[in-house]
C-alpha cells in the first residue's frame, strides 16, 4: 500500500518523494543534499484526541496533518524543514547553525580515500613496513570532542587496520596499526597520530609509526565461515512450525496479538519504535523507543578519549538496520516490516526487513497443582517478539521487545559483533584499561549506556512516578512488630523532574501510576512498574566531555514532564544533535533549566503554580527514561566475535488489571503441542511402585 | 538399568531396598519408620581422584564405596545411618537428639484430621457460620519458631480455608477463615487462634472467631480449567520438531551435549543436582545445586510470624518434585529422568519424570556484518535446558539450568502458583504489610530467598574468589588521565571466609579463578564469573528468629572453605536440619566459628598457618554461595494464580577459554532452519530502489 493508513505510520515512499519535490520547488535552483526525510509525528496533543476517538469508535476521527521532517544541506547550509504533505508546502524552516548532521556514509568513505591518498600518510604507512600482500583498511569514526581541539567543525578520525588475507571478509580488527589520522571537514589531513604502544608510552616522542612487529601475525582471530574452518557439526536441526499460522494479525503497521494492540514505527534515528500500546483495550504506553546510546571508551591515552560513539544520535539505529534474513536472524513464522529512508537526492530508499515479528514459546507461564487432588493446571507462555538489529562499524546490537500474555513487556539488548581494538606491544601483556585478546591486540574497556524512553499512558495521559521501597517495621517488643519480622512499603510520589538511582538493598521499585483510576480491589492507583537493569552509571568524570555530552548516563531513572511546546527538543536525552556536541543539552540540562526557573519564581514570591514551567511531574503528562547498560571489560571469550551479552528491562502491571491477565490462557496439552519423547525411562525395575497423580509431592507417602 | 554406573548416580531402586534391608537386619525387631534413603555422595577427596582418573582415561578407576544415607525413626528415636552397600553393613550411626525430620505428608494429613475431629475446633468452626454446602479445608504448616512458645517440640499450625464449590479443585485460598489451630507432636490441640481481621486488630480480645462475612463470596478467583470458563482461543498451535533428533546424548545420568559433559543427580532435599560439569574436556564445577530457600512472611501480627517456610530443608525439593508431562511442562524433544525415594517401610518409590532435558532455540548467539562487503556471519543460540518443578502447598517453583554453546550457565527460578492468603475485614481495604487481592482476601508481603551452592572446579579444585570493581582513574590534568575518561579495575582476592554484598555502582563482579593456570593470551588466572541476581537481602531484624534461622539471607555472596572433615555439616547454608531450627547453625556461624578460632590463634601467637581451621579461601578448595530472590509484595495480577516471576543467575567464563568458545557453531541458514514467511512486503512501490547487500547500513548512500 502506498497510502498511509494511520497518522503514526512512517512516511511512504511516495510521501518521501513528495516531500523532496516540495522542498526542491520551495528553493528552486538550490543545491540540496537531503539528509533526513521522515515522519514528523503529529503533536501528541492532537494524537491523543485522535486516538481517543479512534478507540472510542464513535466517529471517524479527522487525521492530524501529515507532515514530513526534512533535514538537508541547502547550498551547504544545514537546515530543517517541515513539509505539510496535504498542503504540499514548506510550513517551517530552521537553519541549524553550528550543528552537524548525522554520519554520512558516503562522506566517510571519501574521508578514508582522501586519507589514503595523502602523501604524508602514504609515507607513514610505508614506515610501518607491512608484510607483503597485506591490505590496509581505514575505518573512519566521528570525532568525540576531548578538549584537545576546536570542536565546532566536523572532524573525522581515521583508524588503521590491516588484513593479511586476500579475503575481504578477513578480520582486520586483528591487526590494528600504529597510526591514526585526523581529517578536516574539507577532507584534508590535519594531524597524524602515532598510537601509544605500551601502557605509559608517550606518543609525542615519535614522529613516525613503529614498524609492524611481524611476530604479531597469528591464527585464531577469524570469524567468517570461509576463513574459520572449525565448524561444529553436532548441532542438529531445530524447526518451529505453526500449522494454523501465527497468532498475530497485521494490518499495515498495526499488530494485534492475543490481547495486545500496538503500532510499529521506524525512523532513521531510533530505528524501531512502538506506539499506542494497549492491552485488552486499555491504554498502557503512548510510545516506547530506545532514545539514545553512548559508548565511551576508558583508555585515557591520547588520542583514544576521542573514541565515544553515539550510535543513535550520530549513526542512526534506522540507518544501520540490518536486512533480516528468514531462518537466520529469525526462526519460525516470520512477518517482516520494511523501512524507508531517502537518498541524498531525495529519492526513497527501501530498507527491507528491518523489523521482524514472530512468536516464541517461553516455557511455563503459570502452574499450580492441587496437592489434594493431584490435578495440575498449567499454561505455556507464548511471547511475541519484535526484533531489529543494527551494525555500527565493528559492533552489532540486537534490540528486542517481548510482549507477554500476562501483559508484561520486556526490552532486551544483545550486544555482539567485534571488539574495537588498538595496537599494543608484544612486550606489554597487560594494561590497566583494557584486555589483550590476541598477540598485539588490545581491546579497551568501555561502557555501553542505553536510554529507553518510556512515554506512559497508564489508563490515560495524566500519570505520576512513585518510588516504592520495602523497609522493616520498627522493632516494637509486644507492640506492632514484636518478633521483628514485619515489613512494609513506602510510596513516594516524585514531585518534580529529577534523576533517580537504583537501590536493590531497599527493593526500590519505580511505578508509573494514574491517580485518577483506582484499582477495584486494592483501591490503589493503577500502575505499571519498571523492572530495571542493574548496571553501573557513566564512569567518566563529571567534568569530562563524555559526561557533559551524555547527561542521561548519570542516573538510572529520570522523569520529565512531556514538553508539548518543544516536542523535538526533548525526544533525545543527550540532545537533539549529538554529532560533535558540546554537551549541556541533555536531560539533566532540561531539568536544571526548569528547576532554576522554579526556584526563581519561588524566590520572587510568584509561588510554584506554573506546573509546566516548574517541571511538576505529579499527576502530569510525564516521560520516564531508563538508563542502563554494561561496563564492558572485554574477556578473551569476546574475541574474535562476541557471544551476545544480554541486558533486560521489564515493564509489568502492578495493580492495574483486576487479576492475572493471563488467567484465560488455554491449558497446555500434548494433543495440541505434539512433543516427542526421547529415549524413555529406565524400564521396569524391581520393587517399582509408580506413584499416581499429577505430582510426586510430599503427600504421596 | 538397575545397577549404578557411576559413583555419583543416585541410589537405584534395588540399592534403596538393600539399604532398608540392611538397617532392618541391623536393629532386628525394632519399629522403623524410614524417612530418607539416599546416596551418601562419596567424600569429595575420593571423588576428585576418581574423576581425574576417569577423565585421564589411563586406567579404569576404582569406584569409591557405594554408601546409603538412611534417616529413620527407630523405636521413635530419630537417627541417621550410613549403610555400606558393598559390605551390606551399617558403618555409622548417629542419634539425632532434638532434631526433627523433614515434613511427613502422612503425619500432616493426620494432623489435619485430628484438628478437625477436635470438639473445641468443631465448636469454633460452627461459630464461623459458614454458608450451606461449604467445605472446610485445613492446611497444615510446619511451625516457624517465633519466640512465643517452646520450640524444641514438633508443632503444626493448621490454617483454615473454605470452598464454596463442590469441585475439589476449587480455589480454597480465596476463602481464608478466621481460625488457626496449633497442634502438638502427639496431634492434640494446643492453641486455637482467632486471626486478626483488621490492620491493628487484637486477637486476644476474642474467644471465638468472627462469623464468616457472606459478602466476601465472589467470582473470579478460580484458576482450574473446569471452573474457569474464560479460556482464550486465540493462541494458535506451536510445534517444535527435530527431524534428526536432539543434539544431546544420554548415558545413564551422564549428558553430553555440544562441548558439555555433566551428570544429573537427584535427592529428596535439593531435588535436581548437577555434577562434574565440564566444557571441552576442561573442569568447571564439581557440583551445582540449589542448597536452600526460605520464605518468611512480613505480616507482624500474631500468629503470622510463624509463617516461614524452608522449602528445601523442611519440605524437600525432591519430595515435592512434579511428574513432568510431555507437551505440557516441556515442549519439543524431551528426555526425562526419574527420581527414587523410599516409603516409610523402606520400599523404593519411583517419582517419574522429575527432571526434563531438552533443547531450545534462544535467538542469536553472535553476529557480525562486515560493512565493507555486506557479508553477514551469524549463528543461532541453541541452549540445553534442565528443568524441575516443585509444589510446596500453595506455591510452585520452577528451577532451570540453561547451558549455552558459549560455555555460559544460567540458573533460573520461576515462582508461580497461588499466593498464601489470610482473612481480612471487608472494611479494611488496605494493610501496610500485604495486598488485598479479592474481597476479604489478603496476601501478605513475603520474601523468597534462594541460595545457589556453587562448588567450583575451575581447571581444578584449588580456586580463589576475586572481587573485581571498575573505578575511574584519578583525574590528572596532562598526566595519565587528562580528559577524565579513563577507568580501570581493581582485583581483590578474598583472604578468608566471608559474606559479601552486591554493588552495581562500582560494577562489582565475583570471579572464581585458578591462580595456577594462566590464560595463554591475557596472562591472568583462568576464571568464571558469577552474574548475580540483584535482590534485597533478608528484611527481618537480625535479632529475629527468621534471621537466626536463615543466616544465608544476610549477604548476596558467601565464600567458604570446603569442609572435608564434616562434609554433611556444611552442605546447607541454613544448617543440616531446618525443621523447627533454633538458628546459629548456618553459613554465618560456620564462618564466625573459624574466624574466632583464627583470631584466638593469632592472639596466642600461634600464627595463621592452619589454613583449614583458619578458613583461608585463597588458593583453596572453596565453595561460593549466591543468595538471591525477590521481595514479593503481591500484585492483584498475581491472583488467583501467579504468572511466573523470573530470577536469573549466570556463570560465565572470563579469560578461561582462549577465545569465544562458540566460534565454531555452524552458520544459521534457511536451508537448515526452514522458517516460514508470513504475509510479505507491501509489494512494489513507486520509486522503489532496493538496497543490495546484507545490511542496510550507512554505507548504502
Amino acid at each position: 500500500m502506498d497510502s498511509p493508513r494511520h497518522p503514526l505510520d512512517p512516511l511512504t515512499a511516495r510521501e518521501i518523494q513528495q516531500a523532496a519535490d516540495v522542498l526542491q520547488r520551495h528553493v528552486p535552483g538550490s543545491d540540496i543534499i537531503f539528509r533526513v526525510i521522515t515522519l514528523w509525528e503529529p503533536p501528541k496533543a492532537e494524537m491523543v484526541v485522535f486516538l481517543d476517538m479512534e478507540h472510542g469508535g464513535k466517529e471517524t476521527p479527522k487525521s492530524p496533518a501529515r507532515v514530513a521532517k526534512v533535514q538537508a544541506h541547502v547550498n551547504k547550509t544545514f537546515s530543517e524543514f517541515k513539509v505539510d504533505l496535504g498542503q504540499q508546502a514548506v510550513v517551517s524552516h530552521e537553519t541549524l547553525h553550528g550543528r552537524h548532521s548525522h554520519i554520512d556514509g558516503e562522506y566517510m568513505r571519501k574521508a578514508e580515500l582522501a586519507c589514503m591518498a595523502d602523501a604524508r600518510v602514504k609515507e607513514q604507512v610505508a614506515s610501518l613496513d607491512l608484510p607483503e600482500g597485506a591490505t590496509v583498511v581505514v575505518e573512519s569514526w566521528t570525532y568525540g570532542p576531548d578538549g584537545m581541539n576546536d570542536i565546532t567543525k566536523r572532524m573525522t578520525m581515521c583508524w588503521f587496520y590491516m588484513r593479511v588475507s586476500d579475503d575481504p571478509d578477513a578480520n582486520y580488527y586483528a591487526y590494528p596499526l600504529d597510526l591514526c589520522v585526523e581529517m578536516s571537514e574539507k577532507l584534508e589531513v590535519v594531524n597524524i597520530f602515532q598510537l601509544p604502544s605500551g601502557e605509559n608510552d608517550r606518543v609525542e616522542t615519535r614522529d613516525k609509526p613503529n614498524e609492524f612487529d611481524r611476530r604479531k601475525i597469528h591464527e585464531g582471530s577469524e570469524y567468517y565461515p570461509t576463513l574459520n574452518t572449525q565448524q561444529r557439526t553436532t548441532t542438529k536441526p531445530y524447526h518451529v512450525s505453526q500449522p494454523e499460522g501465527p497468532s498475530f494479525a497485521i494490518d499495515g503497521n498495526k499488530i494485534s496479538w492475543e490481547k495486545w494492540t500496538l503500532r510499529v514505527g521506524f525512523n532513521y534515528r531510533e530505528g524501531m519504535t512502538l506506539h499506542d500500546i494497549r492491552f485488552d483495550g486499555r491504554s498502557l504506553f503512548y510510545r516506547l523507543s530506545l532514545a539514545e546510546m553512548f559508548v565511551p571508551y576508558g583508555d585515557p591515552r591520547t588520542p583514544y578519549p576521542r573514541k565515544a560513539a553515539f550510535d543513535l544520535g550520530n549513526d542512526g539505529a534506522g540507518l544501520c538496520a540490518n536486512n533480516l534474513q528468514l531462518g537466520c536472524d529469525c526462526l519460525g513464522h516470520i512477518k517482516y516490516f520494511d523501512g524507508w529512508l531517502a537518498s541524498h537526492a531525495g529519492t526513497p530508499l527501501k530498507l527491507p526487513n528491518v523489523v521482524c515479528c514472530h512468536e516464541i514459546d517461553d516455557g511455563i507461564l503459570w502452574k499450580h497443582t492441587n496437592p489434594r487432588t493431584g490435578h495440575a493446571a498449567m499454561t505455556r507462555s507464548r511471547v511475541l517478539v519484535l526484533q531489529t538489529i543494527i551494525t555500527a562499524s565493528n559492533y552489532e546490537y540486537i534490540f528486542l521487545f517481548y510482549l507477554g500474555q500476562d501483559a508484561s513487556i520486556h526490552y532486551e539488548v544483545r550486544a555482539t559483533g567485534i571488539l574495537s581494538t588498538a595496537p599494543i606491544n608484544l612486550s606489554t601483556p597487560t594494561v590497566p584499561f583494557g584486555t589483550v585478546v590476541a598477540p598485539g591486540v588490545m581491546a579497551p574497556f568501555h561502557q555501553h549506556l542505553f536510554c529507553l524512553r518510556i512515554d506512559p499512558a497508564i489508563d490515560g495521559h495524566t500519570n505520576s512516578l512513585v518510588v516504592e521501597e520495602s523497609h522493616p517495621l520498627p522493632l516494637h517488643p509486644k507492640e506492632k512488630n514484636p518478633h521483628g519480622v514485619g515489613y512494609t512499603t513506602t510510596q513516594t510520589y516524585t514531585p518534580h523532574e529529577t534523576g533517580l538511582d537504583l537501590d536493590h538493598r531497599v527493593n526500590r521499585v519505580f511505578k508509573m501510576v494514574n491517580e485518577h483510576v483506582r484499582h477495584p480491589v486494592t483501591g490503589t492507583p493503577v500502575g505499571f512498574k519498571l523492572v530495571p537493569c542493574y548496571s553501573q552509571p557513566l564512569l567518566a568524570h563529571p567534568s569530562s566531555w563524555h559526561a557533559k555530552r551524555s547527561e542521561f548516563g548519570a542516573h538510572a531513572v529520570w522523569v520529565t514532564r512531556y514538553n508539548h511546546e518543544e516536542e523535538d527538543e526533548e525526544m533525545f536525552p543527550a540532545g537533539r544533535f549529538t554529532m560533535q556536541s558540546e554537551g549541556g543539552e541533555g536531560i539533566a540540562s532540561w531539568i536544571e533549566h526548569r528547576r532554576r526557573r522554579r526556584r526563581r519564581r519561588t524566590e520572587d514570591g510568584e509561588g510554584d503554580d506554573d506546573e509546566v514551567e516548574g517541571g511538576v511531574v505529579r499527576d502530569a503528562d510525564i516521560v520516564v527514561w531508563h538508563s542502563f547498560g554494561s561496563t564492558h571489560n572485554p574477556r578473551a571469550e569476546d574475541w574474535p566475535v562476541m557471544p551476545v551479552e544480554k541486558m533486560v528491562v521489564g515493564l509489568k502491571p502492578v495493580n492495574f488489571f483486576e487479576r492475572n491477565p493471563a488467567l484465560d490462557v488455554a491449558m497446555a496439552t500434548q494433543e495440541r503441542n505434539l512433543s516427542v519423547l526421547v529415549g524413555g525411562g529406565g524400564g521396569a525395575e524391581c520393587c517399582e511402585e509408580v506413584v499416581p497423580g499429577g505430582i510426586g509431592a510430599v503427600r504421596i507417602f
Side-chain angles (χ1 to χ4, degrees), chain A:
Chain A
M1 304 297 291
D2 201 32
S3 305
R5 302 179 175 200
H6 193 274
L8 293 171
D9 282 356
L11 293 188
T12 64
R14 178 169 293 150
E15 287 177 318
I16 289 169
Q17 188 65 61
Q18 286 174 342
D21 293 347
V22 168
L23 185 63
Q24 272 156 340
R25 287 198 302 270
H26 184 74
V27 286
S30 299
D31 172 37
I32 306 180
I33 300 171
F34 287 92
R35 299 294 290 126
V36 169
I37 304 180
T38 194
L39 177 69
W40 200 309
E41 289 178 22
K44 184 173 176 183
E46 284 184 44
M47 268 317 295
V48 165
V49 172
F50 178 90
L51 294 173
D52 283 350
M53 290 178 71
E54 181 185 25
H55 290 281
K58 285 182 189 150
E59 51 186 308
T60 306
K62 184 174 170 298
S63 280
R66 192 81 178 155
V67 179
K69 174 195 290 189
V70 180
Q71 289 180 357
H73 298 284
V74 179
N75 298 328
K76 300 199 174 166
T77 301
F78 185 42
S79 305
E80 184 172 279
F81 303 87
K82 272 187 185 176
V83 175
D84 186 311
L85 295 167
Q87 299 176 37
Q88 293 281 307
V90 171
V91 291
S92 84
H93 171 203
E94 180 187 6
T95 305
L96 298 166
H97 289 300
R99 300 299 193 177
H100 295 282
S101 179
H102 59 82
I103 289 174
D104 179 343
E106 201 175 289
Y107 175 88
M108 298 300 262
R109 294 304 154 254
K110 282 185 193 160
E112 293 169 11
L113 293 172
C115 168
M116 285 299 284
D118 182 88
R120 280 183 300 158
V121 173
K122 283 182 178 169
E123 192 184 317
Q124 296 268 325
V125 171
S127 308
L128 287 164
D129 188 26
L130 299 179
E132 201 173 342
T135 304
V136 170
V137 180
V138 178
E139 189 169 279
S140 51
W141 279 49
T142 58
Y143 183 121
D146 67 353
M148 286 169 63
N149 209 334
D150 177 345
I151 55 143
T152 61
K153 292 184 192 148
R154 179 162 59 168
M155 306 296 262
T156 303
M157 299 291 281
C158 289
W159 307 92
F160 282 64
Y161 302 89
M162 171 182 86
R163 329 187 231 102
V164 288
S165 157
D166 277 344
D167 193 319
D169 282 307
N171 180 11
Y172 47 85
Y173 299 108
Y175 298 103
L177 301 178
D178 176 17
L179 197 58
C180 174
V181 176
E182 183 178 350
M183 305 290 289
S184 76
E185 184 149 13
K186 291 182 179 165
L187 302 182
E188 291 155 346
V189 171
V190 176
N191 267 308
I192 298 180
F193 296 89
Q194 285 79 48
L195 296 175
S197 53
E199 177 182 340
N200 297 309
D201 193 23
R202 281 283 165 276
V203 293
E204 299 85 31
T205 60
R206 289 186 276 136
D207 62 1
K208 61 175 189 175
N210 291 318
E211 283 179 14
F212 177 78
D213 184 342
R214 291 165 194 232
R215 293 172 304 164
K216 289 182 176 179
I217 293 174
H218 64 278
E219 299 196 333
S221 282
E222 297 301 345
Y223 72 94
Y224 198 73
T226 53
L227 294 159
N228 174 23
T229 51
Q230 317 155 29
Q231 301 268 314
R232 69 175 84 165
T233 55
T234 48
T235 324
K236 303 250 178 93
Y238 185 100
H239 298 155
V240 166
S241 67
Q242 295 190 265
E244 298 175 20
S247 314
F248 52 77
I250 308 288
D251 178 14
N253 280 59
K254 183 180 175 188
I255 300 175
S256 305
W257 177 78
E258 296 289 278
K259 296 181 179 176
W260 292 92
T261 58
L262 67 155
R263 294 186 170 277
V264 179
F266 183 83
N267 65 61
Y268 74 104
R269 183 161 177 169
E270 295 161 287
M272 172 171 59
T273 55
L274 303 187
H275 305 263
D276 190 27
I277 300 155
R278 291 168 192 250
F279 189 95
D280 216 4
R282 287 173 70 185
S283 166
L284 305 182
F285 299 97
Y286 179 71
R287 196 176 191 279
L288 290 176
S289 66
L290 186 71
E292 194 51 272
M293 58 174 289
F294 185 51
V295 185
Y297 284 77
D299 187 336
R301 301 169 307 164
T302 300
Y304 295 123
R306 293 186 176 175
K307 287 184 89 165
F310 285 96
D311 287 323
L312 267 64
N314 290 6
D315 295 73
L319 293 159
C320 298
N322 287 199
N323 178 348
L324 303 177
Q325 299 296 311
L326 191 69
C328 301
D329 297 286
C330 329
L331 188 76
H333 289 239
I334 315 294
K335 161 70 187 174
Y336 288 105
F337 294 91
D338 298 330
W340 287 91
L341 303 172
S343 72
H344 281 189
T347 53
L349 279 175
K350 183 175 182 174
L351 289 188
N353 299 1
V354 286
V355 173
C356 68
C357 169
H358 65 283
E359 291 174 274
I360 57 171
D361 175 272
D362 184 42
I364 291 168
L365 177 57
W366 59 257
K367 180 173 188 180
H368 181 59
T369 303
N370 184 331
R372 284 157 207 283
T373 63
H375 293 160
M378 61 158 301
T379 60
R380 293 192 69 79
S381 174
R382 188 73 59 81
V383 168
L384 188 78
V385 184
L386 293 164
Q387 177 181 252
T388 193
I389 305 178
I390 70 170
T391 298
S393 294
N394 54 301
Y395 222 62
E396 262 73 13
Y397 298 98
I398 303 170
F399 301 117
L400 301 126
F401 282 102
Y402 297 100
L403 275 60
Q405 291 166 305
D406 62 349
S408 66
I409 298 178
H410 287 87
Y411 182 69
E412 183 177 280
V413 177
R414 298 184 178 201
T416 179
I418 303 182
L419 295 163
S420 185
T421 58
I424 195 83
N425 285 340
L426 289 175
S427 58
T428 306
T430 63
V431 290
F433 31 69
T435 307
V436 175
V437 293
V441 187
M442 193 272 281
F445 295 167
H446 56 283
Q447 291 189 283
H448 300 272
L449 296 168
F450 304 90
C451 189
L452 182 69
R453 184 177 181 278
I454 303 160
D455 187 343
I458 307 299
D459 261 349
H461 299 276
T462 309
N463 292 167
S464 303
L465 183 73
V466 180
V467 181
E468 178 185 290
E469 296 182 353
S470 294
H471 290 282
L473 287 167
L475 190 65
H476 278 302
K478 297 197 180 171
E479 283 180 40
K480 287 192 179 174
N481 184 23
H483 305 298
V485 307
Y487 80 87
T488 189
T489 56
T490 58
Q491 312 279 334
T492 308
Y493 283 84
T494 309
H496 296 110
E497 298 178 319
T498 190
L500 298 159
D501 294 312
L502 306 181
D503 192 349
H504 64 277
R505 297 166 305 176
V506 293
N507 195 45
R508 192 173 287 168
V509 173
F510 299 89
K511 294 193 290 193
M512 293 156 267
V513 304
N514 187 328
E515 297 184 70
H516 301 280
V517 184
R518 297 270 156 178
H519 190 274
V521 180
T522 66
T524 51
V526 296
F528 257 67
K529 68 177 172 182
L530 171 69
V531 183
C533 172
Y534 282 86
S535 57
Q536 186 172 30
L538 181 75
L539 271 154
H541 193 272
S543 70
S544 66
W545 282 104
H546 285 5
K548 286 188 281 191
R549 300 177 74 212
S550 66
E551 294 180 354
F552 68 88
H555 295 288
V557 179
W558 301 81
V559 54
T560 58
R561 190 178 176 103
Y562 189 93
N563 190 338
H564 287 272
E565 302 304 309
E566 300 171 297
E567 292 186 310
D568 260 39
E569 290 296 336
E570 301 194 3
M571 283 298 289
F572 306 114
R576 187 171 155 212
F577 295 93
T578 58
M579 192 76 165
Q580 283 164 265
S581 60
E582 297 176 71
E585 297 179 301
I587 191 164
S589 295
W590 316 334
I591 293 174
E592 179 60 15
H593 177 68
R594 287 190 279 265
R595 194 189 65 79
R596 286 198 187 146
R597 194 153 49 182
R598 186 167 72 242
R599 182 183 288 176
R600 209 158 48 230
R601 290 177 61 87
T602 308
E603 286 170 2
D604 292 351
E606 296 180 46
D608 197 354
D609 55 355
D610 189 327
E611 295 194 338
V612 175
E613 294 213 339
V616 169
V617 291
R618 182 158 184 181
D619 204 20
D621 187 2
I622 60 172
V623 182
V624 175
W625 316 69
H626 180 38
S627 303
F628 65 97
S630 78
T631 295
H632 186 189
N633 305 336
R635 311 175 294 162
E637 288 83 358
D638 295 336
W639 184 258
V641 65
M642 180 182 157
V644 291
E645 177 86 17
K646 294 183 193 177
M647 291 149 272
V648 181
V649 176
L651 294 166
K652 296 177 80 169
V654 53
N655 302 330
F656 183 86
F657 297 101
E658 192 165 343
R659 58 183 69 84
N660 177 355
L663 183 60
D664 62 345
V665 174
M667 296 298 106
T669 65
Q670 169 66 355
E671 289 68 41
R672 265 177 88 79
N673 292 334
L674 302 178
S675 289
V676 176
L677 185 66
V678 174
E685 301 197 27
C686 78
C687 330
E688 180 168 337
E689 179 181 335
V690 175
V691 181
I695 55 164
V698 184
R699 61 183 294 274
I700 63 173
F701 291 91

